[in-house]
Structure formats: structure tokens, C-alpha cells
């Protein structure tokens, strides 16, 4: 049987523009803000939707040597770029298969419970990170569990905790910081780590030996102290599939939520909610062409979005337009979090 060869696939009609130089500059800015602490990178969830193959080379070139993913299935993609000693898995080992995989790859598990400590030691132990819960009640051993004799048998590289409210001015931050400082003497470890992106801006007392930013690397601005120090990294871009001339009085899109008040040139763009440009942008979002504003009109469809081309009458089918996606302002406008705006971007747009 002769398999028919696949013809070459034509170029896509949508793409995520990733500014690797901005990503590297954001890491350097966070590393400078981290002062004497080293700066790791959270690259879980395909580097927050940016693409691990885009993010890790830029981060390594900038100087980053510590990386965190969440799932064991994310290890393979990360190991294409860094060695196993630079990588740890935040969810830790849930069963013997996870432990065996950690041992086979040499990647450190982050141990999050006494049960995880137990199965890690049963599998033979070795270098690991240890998460202590200082008030978030998500993952991590409670401080009172640290006296368990099993904990004393661990080879802890990074002893860590995670802040629940670092992007707010909350008394919880200082409570967590002092709870963390209080346990450092009780567990032998190489490095201590508390701060995520926002935590870096809370001050020197929060930085310890290693900071762990994610969001801010990718252009998110979690606290006002970081305004002006971080640059946008991702911009969704899409081609115009069709230009239509909508007469005054007619409506555009599902539900007819937009009605033209005058004869209007409308571009149908190859980007929709299946790509992560969610329906919340209906009659709200803004696209641009060379600085000219092209408002979204009507409802965002699964694969398409309509825009008003009045400001750019020269645009034609096949021309590319970009989505306004400055994360702090897009979050404010849409009601989505800056984290969601990044991670919601769908597989078709990931380059
Ligand atoms: C995701 C994550 C980070 C990064 O947090 P950001 O808020 O994106 O900077 C750091 N530490 C842990 C444990 C995480 O799960």
C-alpha cells in the first residue's frame, strides 16, 4: 500500500508573536530586583502559554539556571533545553511511577506532604525540594510535620513556601514570611525560597536565596512597584480572511449584538475563542494595524472575530493585524487575570 505523501501545509493565518528579547530583559530585571538571591523561572503550563521552546532558550541565555514545571509530563520538553539538575517538578511524586521517573531522569521532585516524603525515601531518596505550607493551605507540609524523623533523612536542595497574597498589601504576607523564617533552622537545606513574581517586590526580607517568578517573566505586572520595569512578551496576531462592506442598519455576528450606524468596512479575522480570544472580548477588544485602532464588533466566534476597519481602509484580505494584549490593561478591561490571559491561548496560535 502506498501512502499518499502529505502536501506541504500552507502558512498559518494566526500566530503568537513572542518577543524573546523582552522575555530575557524581564528575567534580568527580576534578577536585579532579586538582588543577592538567585532567580529561577516557573515554566509550567508551556511557559504560561508562551511556549517552553520560546521561553527556555531566552531564559538560559539571560542567565537563569533553575526551572520549575508543575507536571511530570512537562519534564521532557524542559529537558530539551536544560540539564536535569536545573529542573524541579512542583506537584511532586504521587505514586511509585512518579518516583521512578524522577530517579530515571534525575529531575528533583518538590515534596509536598509526608506521604510524598515517604514514597520518595522508599524509592531510594536523593536530592529533592521540600514545600512547606505557611498559610495558603494548598500544597506543602505543615510546619508541625517537619519534626517527623522521615524529614531528617531528606537531601533538601530548595526549602520553599508559597505566598497566597503577594500581589496584595495583606498582613498574610508578613505572617507567611515570619512562619517561613522560623522553620529554616529546623530542616537542613541548601537554598531557601519564598517569593513568586509579586513576592520579589515585597522587599529584601522576602527574597532569601532563590526567587521563583513566573508571571512577570512573561510581561505580567503583579504589583505597582514593578510598573515600567517589565515589557510585554506576547502579542496574538491574525490574518484578515475577508473584508465586508456592511450597510448602515445591519448587524454583525451571532446574536446581532452590533448594529452598524453607518456603512462600515468590516474585517473578519482568523482568531476566535478556540484560540483563547474569549467571548469576553465581544464588542470590547481592540486590534491594531500600525498603531491604528480596529475595535472588535459583535461577538467573538469560535474561529473568527469581526473588527471595524474604518481607521485602516487600506487593509485587505491576507493582511495581518495584532491584538492589544498589554497584560495589566487587558486584565482590567476583560476581567480575566493576567495569568488567565496568558495560559488561555490555544494550541492553534502557539508557534
Ligand atoms: C507558579 C508558581 C510560581 C510562580 O508564580 P508567579 O505568581 O507566576 O510568579 C512560584 N512558585 C510556585 C510554587 C508556583 O506554583
Amino acid at each position: 500500500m502506498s501512502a499518499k505523501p502529505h502536501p506541504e501545509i500552507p502558512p498559518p493565518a494566526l500566530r503568537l508573536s513572542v518577543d524573546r528579547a523582552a522575555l530575557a530583559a524581564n528575567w534580568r530585571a527580576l534578577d536585579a530586583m532579586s538582588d543577592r538571591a538567585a532567580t529561577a523561572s516557573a515554566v509550567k503550563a508551556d511557559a504560561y502559554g508562551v511556549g517552553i521552546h520560546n521561553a527556555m532558550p531566552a531564559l538560559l541565555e539571560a542567565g537563569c539556571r533553575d526551572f520549575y514545571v508543575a507536571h511530570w509530563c512537562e519534564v521532557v520538553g524542559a529537558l530539551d533545553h536544560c540539564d536535569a539538575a536545573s529542573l524541579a517538578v512542583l506537584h511532586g511524586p504521587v505514586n511509585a511511577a512518579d518516583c521512578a521517573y524522577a530517579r530515571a531522569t534525575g529531575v528533583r521532585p518538590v515534596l509536598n506532604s509526608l506521604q510524598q516524603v515517604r514514597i520518595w525515601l522508599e524509592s531510594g531518596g536523593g536530592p529533592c525540594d521540600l514545600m512547606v505550607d505557611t498559610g495558603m493551605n494548598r500544597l506543602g507540609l505543615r510546619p508541625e510535620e517537619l519534626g517527623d524523623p522521615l524529614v531528617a533523612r531528606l537531601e533538601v536542595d530548595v526549602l520553599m513556601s508559597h505566598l497566597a497574597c503577594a500581589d496584595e498589601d495583606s498582613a498574610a504576607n508578613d505572617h507567611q514570611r515570619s512562619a517561613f523564617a522560623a522553620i529554616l533552622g529546623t530542616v537542613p537545606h541548601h537554598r531557601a525560597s519564598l517569593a513568586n513574581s509579586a513576592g520579589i517586590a515585597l522587599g529584601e526580607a522576602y527574597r532569601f536565596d532563590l526567587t521563583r517568578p513566573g508571571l512577570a517573566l512573561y510581561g505580567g505586572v503583579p504589583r505597582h512597584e514593578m510598573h515600567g520595569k517589565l515589557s510585554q512578551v506576547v502579542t496574538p496576531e491574525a490574518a484578515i480572511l475577508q473584508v465586508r462592506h456592511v450597510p448602515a442598519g445591519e448587524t454583525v455576528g451571532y446574536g446581532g449584538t452590533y448594529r452598524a450606524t453607518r456603512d462600515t468596512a468590516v474585517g473578519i479575522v482568523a482568531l476566535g475563542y478556540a484560540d483563547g480570544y474569549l467571548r469576553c472580548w465581544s464588542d470590547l477588544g481592540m486590534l491594531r494595524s500600525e498603531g491604528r485602532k480596529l475595535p472588535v464588533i459583535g461577538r467573538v466566534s469560535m474561529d473568527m472575530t469581526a473588527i471595524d476597519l474604518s481607521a485602516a481602509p487600506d487593509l485587505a484580505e491576507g493582511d495581518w493585524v495584532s491584538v492589544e494584549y498589554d497584560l495589566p490593561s487587558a486584565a482590567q478591561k476583560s476581567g480575566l487575570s493576567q495569568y488567565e490571559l496568558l495560559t488561555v491561548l490555544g494550541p492553534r496560535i502557539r508557534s
Side-chain angles (χ1 to χ4, degrees):
M1 214 171 76
S2 66
K4 209 172 159 189
H6 284 292
E8 201 179 320
I9 300 165
L14 79 172
R15 63 188 172 217
L16 189 65
S17 156
V18 176
D19 187 341
R20 290 191 187 198
L23 175 55
N26 288 345
W27 184 85
R28 286 193 294 266
L30 291 160
D31 191 45
M33 287 181 241
S34 297
D35 201 18
R36 277 168 299 178
T39 307
S41 294
V43 294
K44 59 197 183 192
D46 202 19
Y48 289 47
V50 171
I52 207 160
H53 61 290
N54 287 317
M56 283 191 70
L59 293 164
L60 281 157
E61 202 179 296
C64 184
R65 292 295 175 268
D66 290 281
F67 297 92
Y68 285 92
V69 293
H71 285 258
W72 292 101
C73 66
E74 298 179 295
V75 164
V76 170
L79 288 184
D80 283 343
H81 303 283
C82 71
D83 54 28
S86 303
L87 189 60
V89 176
L90 290 162
H91 285 183
V94 171
N95 50 42
D98 290 344
C99 290
Y101 188 70
R103 310 193 68 75
T105 55
V107 172
R108 296 192 315 283
V110 178
L111 304 179
N112 292 296
S113 66
L114 276 180
Q115 170 63 9
Q116 290 196 350
V117 169
R118 195 172 297 119
I119 65 172
W120 180 241
L121 289 170
E122 276 167 9
S123 79
C128 62
D129 291 358
L130 186 67
M131 177 68 83
V132 181
D133 192 292
T134 51
M136 188 174 186
N137 277 310
R138 193 174 66 170
L139 290 180
L141 281 76
R142 295 186 67 85
E144 59 269 26
E145 292 177 309
L146 296 174
D148 192 292
L150 291 174
V151 174
R153 291 171 50 200
L154 294 173
E155 282 174 53
V156 179
D157 179 355
V158 179
L159 181 60
M160 69 173 79
S161 189
H162 191 57
L163 296 165
C165 308
D167 52 358
E168 296 166 28
D169 293 322
S170 163
N173 293 324
D174 192 54
H175 287 147
Q176 288 199 264
R177 184 203 54 75
S178 54
F180 185 58
I183 56 102
L184 291 181
T186 68
V187 181
H189 59 276
H190 288 119
R191 301 179 286 175
S193 177
L194 178 63
N196 63 342
S197 299
I200 294 171
L202 293 177
E204 204 262 322
Y206 287 81
R207 294 181 201 128
F208 297 91
D209 302 314
L210 183 72
T211 62
R212 307 185 310 268
L215 180 74
L217 296 170
Y218 311 112
V221 183
R223 288 190 64 92
H224 64 88
E225 294 91 339
M226 291 174 158
H227 265 293
K229 296 181 176 170
L230 302 163
S231 307
Q232 182 173 340
V233 172
V234 300
T235 307
E237 298 173 342
I240 296 173
L241 296 172
Q242 195 172 104
V243 175
R244 316 182 60 82
H245 295 279
V246 177
E250 293 192 9
T251 64
V252 174
Y254 284 121
T257 59
Y258 173 87
R259 187 178 299 275
T261 53
R262 53 188 158 73
D263 294 357
T264 306
V266 172
I268 307 299
V269 173
L271 168 77
Y273 60 76
D275 306 302
Y277 197 59
L278 301 187
R279 289 222 322 181
C280 61
W281 294 112
S282 302
D283 289 305
L284 177 72
M286 186 67 75
L287 278 72
R288 284 188 183 257
S289 167
E290 289 162 355
R292 296 170 298 182
K293 294 183 172 193
L294 313 169
V296 170
I297 56 178
R299 282 198 192 141
V300 174
S301 302
M302 185 184 294
D303 316 302
M304 285 166 278
T305 297
I307 56 175
D308 182 343
L309 294 178
S310 300
D314 55 300
L315 288 182
E317 289 161 17
D319 286 343
W320 286 73
V321 289
S322 52
V323 178
E324 265 190 11
Y325 222 65
D326 168 66
L327 293 174
S329 44
Q332 204 162 39
K333 204 165 161 178
S334 66
L336 298 172
S337 76
Q338 297 182 61
Y339 296 85
E340 290 170 303
L341 286 166
L342 286 167
T343 56
V344 75
L345 296 168
R348 287 193 302 206
I349 197 170
R350 307 252 187 116
S351 43

